[in-house]
Amino acid sequence: MAHSTLLARHTEALDAFTDRVHKVAADQWDASTPCTEWTVRDLVNHLTAEQLWVPHLVRDGATTASIGTAYDGDVLGDDPVATWDEAAEAARAAFAAPGALDGTVHLSYGPSSASHYCGQMVTDLAVHAWDLARGIGADEQLPRPLVDFAVREVSPYAADLTKSGLFAPPVEPPPDADVQTKLLCLLGRKP
């Protein structure tokens, strides 16, 4: 996939999640989400921490071991929306830097291409944008190019995600399911 296309999907995914973060009402941060262990705040915290890792891994060549527990726990502080915005923009800039997607990142499971890492981040952002929308009662529809990308990205390793415990087992989609519903069911959601 061309880097320009990958960056376009990354931008769509960041924008989709950002849009929903900005719609969280003051009384919704403790609301439940489809991620059964996470409240809205927990979900936004998780995605924010993931974005905080990106500049270190992509731009600086750091390893997960060298970063350690720096982003464990609450990273949102007193202004979750502003913290998310700052982390999202830093991740966007790191992936968009010239040559960034040609590099290698050092993840917990070993070296990976930065473009593959970006693809994983796109899918995670997309699916969690739906989770966040469901948790706060916002528009759950994701952009079709983003959904199509996420299906192509995650299908080859979806079974491994279930085995890892990161996602619930797949759910059988209804016979007339659209692509977004099939993606969500593949990742254990019940749209």
Side-chain angles (χ1 to χ4, degrees), residues 26 29 41 45 74-84:
W29 289 100
R41 184 179 175 94
N45 188 72
D74 179 27
V75 298
L76 294 178
D78 293 334
D79 192 346
V81 176
T83 303
W84 161 259

Side-chain angles (χ1 to χ4, degrees), residues 50 109 116 119-121 123-124 127-128 150-151 153-170 183-184 186-189:
E50 284 191 347
Y109 55 83
H116 179 71
Q120 289 177 328
M121 295 290 283
T123 300
D124 200 46
V127 172
H128 286 315
V151 168
E153 171 67 28
V154 78
S155 292
Y157 58 85
D160 294 333
L161 292 174
T162 301
K163 290 177 196 171
S164 73
L166 295 174
F167 288 91
L183 169 67
L184 295 168
L186 179 66
L187 296 174
R189 272 66 177 173

Side-chain angles (χ1 to χ4, degrees), residues 27-118:
D27 64 348
Q28 291 181 312
W29 289 100
D30 291 326
S32 62
T33 70
C35 304
T36 57
E37 303 294 317
W38 288 342
T39 64
V40 165
R41 184 179 175 94
D42 295 332
L43 177 62
V44 174
N45 188 72
H46 167 70
L47 270 290
T48 302
E50 284 191 347
Q51 305 321 302
L52 291 170
W53 282 83
V54 173
H56 299 292
L57 296 172
V58 174
R59 183 191 63 214
D60 303 338
T63 65
T64 55
S66 68
I67 298 168
T69 60
Y71 300 119
D72 288 0
D74 179 27
V75 298
L76 294 178
D78 293 334
D79 192 346
V81 176
T83 303
W84 161 259
D85 287 346
E86 188 176 311
E89 286 310 308
R92 184 187 321 261
F95 278 128
L101 293 177
D102 296 321
T104 299
V105 293
H106 303 281
L107 305 174
S108 59
Y109 55 83
S112 179
S113 71
S115 60
H116 179 71
Y117 174 49
C118 185

Side-chain angles (χ1 to χ4, degrees), residues 133-148:
R134 175 64 57 102
I136 64 171
D139 181 10
E140 296 177 6
Q141 191 62 46
L142 299 169
R144 179 64 189 260
L146 181 57
V147 172
D148 290 344

